[in-house]
Amino acid sequence: MNTPQRVEHQQTDRGTIPVYATGVVEQPWQDYSAVDHHVWGELFERQRAILPGRACREFLESQNTLKMSADAIPRFDELNPILRAATGWELVGVEGLLPEYTFFEHLANRRFPVTWWIRKPEQIDYISEPDLFHDLFGHVPLLMNPVFADYMQAYGRGALKAHGIGEHALLNLTRLYWYTVEFGLIATPEGLRIYGAGIVSSKGESIYCLESDAPNRIGFDLERIMRTRYRIDTYQQTYFVIDDFEQLFEATRPDFTPIYRQVKAMDDIRARDVLETDKVFHRGTREGFATDADA
Ligand code: PHE
Ligand code: CO
């Protein structure tokens, strides 16, 4: 397997992350090694063994419709006709994380970028950046759902708009992506289920997010999400729970421009309060002012 080409780094909420080449590449399917296919198969089986009863029905059913299996790494050109027929989305191969603007442009045009390379055997349990398994196994199934598919496109368009508004708007939207597309939970009639790609592609977090008492699981709240920091190096401290994909789509339909302003105004007030308190009481900590979200 060729090694992907690393071009630059980008400073984000998640720390410093590598950003790969911006171009779309053909999936070099013939070049995958036996080890690559084996890594896919092992991860696939492991996740499929624990996800029934944990992942939402839409996710599991769509994965079947797409005919993903443990046998071999799926071919983008075999998934695309199925995906196009269902929702008009299509997969494009990429070298890895894209610069923000390029990524949003793809989403706004119903193209989902999928990293073409898969992790090495020693990275089975943890990899700090998205690879083919995360992108394909985790993200692609829900693009088969018409409402979620529309949400993803609306997100891309909204992000292009936020890009023109400023840093804080974009940061708020990145958090929305994180707490829905990557780490979202959904309250179904059968019980709490996972729909976030970052969870379904991780064995440990698939169990932790539902069964541990440690994290908060709170109802979807747009402004609260926009104010909630996240980390990439541990399981989440807070998960936001939607009732269904319609709720997610409707809650994010309004124009966010005034909401960004409001969230920023609140952040500014809090920052000023903290500084003044520091002066008077010589407090060395922000703790008294942190929301649980900030901890
Ligand atoms: N309604 C949002 C806006 O006006 C766009 C958006 C939709 C953002 C869905 C995220 C998700 O900016
Ligand atoms: Co992802």
Side-chain angles (χ1 to χ4, degrees), residues 3 16 20 26 36 70 84 109 123 147 162 164 167 186 193 201 204 213-214 221 270 277 280 292 295:
T3 14
T16 306
Y20 292 86
E26 186 92 16
D36 292 335
R84 260 191 230 112
N109 290 287
Q123 297 169 306
V147 180
E167 279 294 308
I186 180 166
R193 294 288 185 274
S201 56
D213 288 335
D221 176 337
R270 271 197 10 228
T277 311
V280 178
D292 56 341

Side-chain angles (χ1 to χ4, degrees), residues 9 57 68 90 114 147 154-155 159 183 193-194 203 234 274:
H9 285 75
R57 190 177 38 78
M68 288 190 191
E90 90 182 294
V114 175
V147 180
Y155 182 92
F183 289 94
R193 294 288 185 274
I194 305 160
K203 183 183 178 199
T234 64
V274 170

Side-chain angles (χ1 to χ4, degrees), residues 151 154-159 161-162 173 176 249 252-257 260:
Y151 170 71
Y155 182 92
R157 290 176 170 160
K161 190 177 83 180
L173 258 201
L176 177 63
F249 189 75
T252 51
R253 188 197 287 277
D255 182 4
F256 284 3
T257 312
Y260 295 139

Side-chain angles (χ1 to χ4, degrees), residues 42 55 64 73 94 97 102-103 105 116 136 139 150-151 205 208 227 234 237 247 251 254 260 294:
E42 202 172 311
N64 297 338
I73 293 175
V94 293
L97 282 176
T102 312
F103 178 65
E105 278 180 325
W116 67 263
L136 208 52
H139 284 285
D150 286 350
Y151 170 71
E205 192 145 7
Y208 171 89
R227 285 187 277 111
T234 64
Q237 185 174 0
Q247 179 205 15
Y260 295 139
D294 272 328

Side-chain angles (χ1 to χ4, degrees), residues 218-228 240-241 247:
I218 56 187
F220 181 86
D221 176 337
L222 182 63
E223 289 187 27
R224 183 155 174 186
I225 286 177
M226 288 185 176
R227 285 187 277 111
T228 305
F240 289 89
V241 184
Q247 179 205 15

